[in-house]
Amino acid sequence: MIYRLSFGTLLLLVGTANGFSAIAPPKSPSFYKPDTSDISEVALKEAADKIQRVAVPVPTSVSKNESVDISYIQWKPEEYGSSTAPGKLPLVLIHGFDSSCLEYRRLGPKLAALGIDVYAVDLLGWGFTQLQDVESFSAASKVEALKGFWDIVGDGKPCAIAGASLGGAAAIEFAASEASPASAAIMIDAQGFVDGVGPMAMLPKPLAELGVQVLKCVPLRSSANQMSYFDKEAYATEDALKVGRLHCLRDGWSDALVSFMLAGGFSPSEKVSKIDMPSLVLWGRQDTILDGNEFANKFVEALPNAELKWVEECGHVPHLEQPEKTAELISDFLSSEKFALPESSENSSLFLGVAAAAAFGVGAIELGAVLGN
């Protein structure tokens, strides 16, 4: 039997062979964290301080260098007085349209406190990812970068993938892709039945560039901010508006968004039914952007193995408006019998055998060939 080792596993084995417990993913040396000095929210400042970037492999269609820098936040259970629950899948969180990993600033810590290893990842071209020397910021490029991210940071191991709003479309594409590591899918007020970006994809590039500039203007962002929440007074604040615009102020943001728009956006609708893994559909009861009575029930009908949970007194963003309840529902789902993992002595023996082989130089030619590329 032939076993495929991911690039992350190879790094780990080489580190073990050289006397180290593990090798951390390579960080981007040129990354500067966003300036949050005029934002008062403590959770935002703490999350922004945790942002890091890592170089991940991508096809030449995405970058001629075959690598792009992806930004993300990791919340580790041990940082919040907990420990990773045995058998609980690590969770990858995908933000919505033209947003960032900071969208999960309130949910991430609560999930970690419940024993879940959490990664909020920026989609290529959004958030605080690399914007220069990239060939394409299309939906396909975003998914390729997401795959590369998990291969490096998550070692390509089984994970749960969650997406909010348009991030749901990215999560669907990731989960439905060939050899996907996703073993669970979580849809949070997700876009799964609307394909493309509408008329924007047909615009001449100069007009698309003008249209994109409108997307970062304060009046439009403020209007979207108001629409996202049930309790507008408490959550549709000036701080929330500023957080949503932080990444828009970066050089190259508009070009990346135009690239995505002209490429046509995501097309998840035909892939939803292919996700046969256990799935959780979370929906804000008062969502006025994507009506749950229509779209949440569509997910339950289309997904072969799904359950629906409503989040009460909540609009389009349960992870921001009701983070404690959202964390509880996600933790209960990932702790359910659906994910009971029997111990496998065969797998344990396989890992020990491969590690020993690496430590004693067996297969050194194969390892060297991969790491030398």
Side-chain angles (χ1 to χ4, degrees), residues 107-166:
L107 179 64
K110 296 185 183 302
L111 288 168
L114 294 172
I116 302 173
D117 195 15
V118 184
Y119 302 80
V121 187
D122 282 335
L123 292 173
L124 180 63
W126 292 333
F128 307 97
T129 61
Q130 177 178 331
L131 296 178
Q132 310 300 328
D133 300 318
V134 177
E135 298 298 308
S136 169
F137 294 96
S138 67
S141 296
K142 286 171 165 50
V143 175
E144 288 292 345
L146 184 56
K147 290 178 183 177
F149 167 82
W150 192 244
D151 191 41
I152 292 295
V153 175
D155 194 29
K157 294 177 181 178
C159 67
I161 185 78
S165 195
L166 186 72

Side-chain angles (χ1 to χ4, degrees), residues 32-297:
Y32 295 93
K33 296 179 181 180
D35 180 8
T36 62
S37 58
D38 65 340
I39 299 174
S40 61
E41 186 184 346
V42 174
L44 178 279
K45 290 181 179 292
E46 292 177 348
D49 191 54
K50 293 175 72 67
I51 297 178
Q52 52 188 311
R53 278 209 319 199
V54 61
V56 309
V58 291
T60 54
S61 59
V62 180
S63 171
K64 291 181 179 178
N65 297 325
E66 298 184 330
S67 173
V68 292
D69 289 350
I70 294 298
S71 41
Y72 70 103
I73 302 170
Q74 181 183 7
W75 288 278
K76 302 177 183 180
E78 54 266 29
E79 296 174 347
Y80 296 89
S82 183
S83 59
T84 303
K88 212 171 227 184
L89 293 167
L91 176 61
V92 179
L93 299 170
I94 310 300
H95 60 75
F97 174 77
D98 189 29
S99 184
S100 78
C101 55
L102 293 173
E103 194 175 304
Y104 290 103
R105 61 192 180 273
R106 297 170 191 160
L107 179 64
K110 296 185 183 302
L111 288 168
L114 294 172
I116 302 173
D117 195 15
V118 184
Y119 302 80
V121 187
D122 282 335
L123 292 173
L124 180 63
W126 292 333
F128 307 97
T129 61
Q130 177 178 331
L131 296 178
Q132 310 300 328
D133 300 318
V134 177
E135 298 298 308
S136 169
F137 294 96
S138 67
S141 296
K142 286 171 165 50
V143 175
E144 288 292 345
L146 184 56
K147 290 178 183 177
F149 167 82
W150 192 244
D151 191 41
I152 292 295
V153 175
D155 194 29
K157 294 177 181 178
C159 67
I161 185 78
S165 195
L166 186 72
I172 291 165
E173 301 262 9
F174 179 84
S177 65
E178 185 177 356
S180 172
S183 295
I186 301 171
M187 303 290 115
I188 306 174
D189 293 68
Q191 177 178 319
F193 301 98
V194 180
D195 292 337
V197 294
M200 281 288 288
M202 307 300 294
L203 289 176
K205 189 174 181 179
L207 289 180
E209 290 171 342
L210 288 174
V212 160
Q213 291 303 317
V214 175
L215 290 177
K216 74 174 178 182
C217 72
V218 171
L220 184 62
R221 291 269 169 174
S222 179
S223 176
N225 197 27
Q226 291 287 327
M227 292 172 62
S228 296
Y229 298 100
F230 168 68
D231 188 344
K232 296 173 175 48
E233 184 177 351
Y235 294 105
T237 63
E238 187 70 18
D239 263 6
L241 175 62
K242 290 177 181 177
V243 174
R245 295 184 73 244
L246 277 175
H247 66 285
C248 302
L249 307 178
R250 302 175 61 218
D251 291 339
W253 165 81
S254 58
D255 290 338
L257 189 50
V258 167
S259 173
F260 170 75
M261 292 290 199
L262 295 183
F266 290 97
S267 297
S269 62
E270 293 185 359
K271 301 181 179 73
V272 175
S273 61
K274 297 178 181 179
I275 301 175
D276 57 0
M277 64 197 67
S279 302
L280 173 65
V281 179
L282 284 179
W283 222 273
R285 181 76 75 174
Q286 287 78 27
D287 186 347
T288 58
I289 295 177
L290 291 175
D291 182 5
N293 290 324
E294 177 183 357
F295 292 107
N297 289 313

Side-chain angles (χ1 to χ4, degrees), residues 246-365:
L246 277 175
H247 66 285
C248 302
L249 307 178
R250 302 175 61 218
D251 291 339
W253 165 81
S254 58
D255 290 338
L257 189 50
V258 167
S259 173
F260 170 75
M261 292 290 199
L262 295 183
F266 290 97
S267 297
S269 62
E270 293 185 359
K271 301 181 179 73
V272 175
S273 61
K274 297 178 181 179
I275 301 175
D276 57 0
M277 64 197 67
S279 302
L280 173 65
V281 179
L282 284 179
W283 222 273
R285 181 76 75 174
Q286 287 78 27
D287 186 347
T288 58
I289 295 177
L290 291 175
D291 182 5
N293 290 324
E294 177 183 357
F295 292 107
N297 289 313
K298 269 190 176 183
F299 271 114
V300 174
E301 293 169 5
L303 289 167
N305 187 8
E307 59 181 282
L308 170 63
K309 297 293 183 181
W310 293 98
V311 183
E312 304 296 340
E313 297 185 353
C314 184
H316 186 59
V317 284
H319 48 297
L320 284 167
E321 191 165 12
Q322 296 286 0
E324 189 166 349
K325 183 61 177 178
T326 302
E328 177 187 320
L329 291 171
I330 291 174
S331 179
D332 288 348
F333 170 66
L334 294 179
S335 302
S336 68
E337 293 181 356
K338 297 177 181 180
F339 305 103
L341 301 176
E343 291 186 7
S344 171
S345 57
E346 179 182 350
N347 288 343
S348 299
S349 299
L350 168 65
F351 177 80
L352 290 174
V354 174
F360 287 100
V362 178
I365 294 177

